[in-house]
Amino acid sequence: MLQIIVTTRQGDQRKIAVGLGQTVMQAIRDDGIDLMALCGGGCSCATCHVYVDAAFSAAAAPITADEDGLLEGSDHRKPNSRLSCQIPMTSQLDGLRVIVAPED
Ligand code: FES
């Protein structure tokens, strides 16, 4: 099992076990953390927005044009913004730190 460290919107830090290939969004939701993920991972809602620790940005799957377009519509976009449903876990991402973005 891999592990990610998630900072919730309430500011709590949670360590979560994640399976290889599971997306960061699935792991966050399975843990019961507040994250809407309305479209269920279809890259069409942008409610799974997180900020990825800079140390891991190169290891995460590259951002697609669709993801970039959705993030563009967010008032809370930062340079390290990603849609967590578009980041499948790999061993390089073990220990990944993400912060759940505020709701738009
Ligand atoms: S869950 Fe909808 S875009 Fe990620």
Side-chain angles (χ1 to χ4, degrees), residues 25 36-48 70 83-86:
M25 177 278 274
M36 240 199 285
L38 264 184
C39 79
C43 196
S44 59
C45 72
T47 61
C48 64
L70 277 171
L83 297 180
S84 56
C85 71
Q86 300 303 302

Side-chain angles (χ1 to χ4, degrees), residues 24-96:
V24 173
M25 177 278 274
Q26 289 165 332
I28 294 174
R29 278 226 311 207
D30 288 355
D31 197 66
I33 293 172
D34 179 26
L35 181 85
M36 240 199 285
L38 264 184
C39 79
C43 196
S44 59
C45 72
T47 61
C48 64
H49 185 177
V50 297
Y51 304 123
V52 172
D53 186 295
F56 292 91
S57 53
I63 195 163
T64 63
D66 280 352
E67 182 182 350
D68 193 45
L70 277 171
L71 283 167
E72 216 33 62
S74 169
D75 293 339
H76 304 287
R77 184 169 196 179
K78 293 184 184 178
N80 60 341
S81 284
R82 291 296 308 264
L83 297 180
S84 56
C85 71
Q86 300 303 302
I87 309 176
M89 282 302 287
T90 62
S91 47
Q92 287 79 17
L93 291 175
D94 194 22
L96 172 72

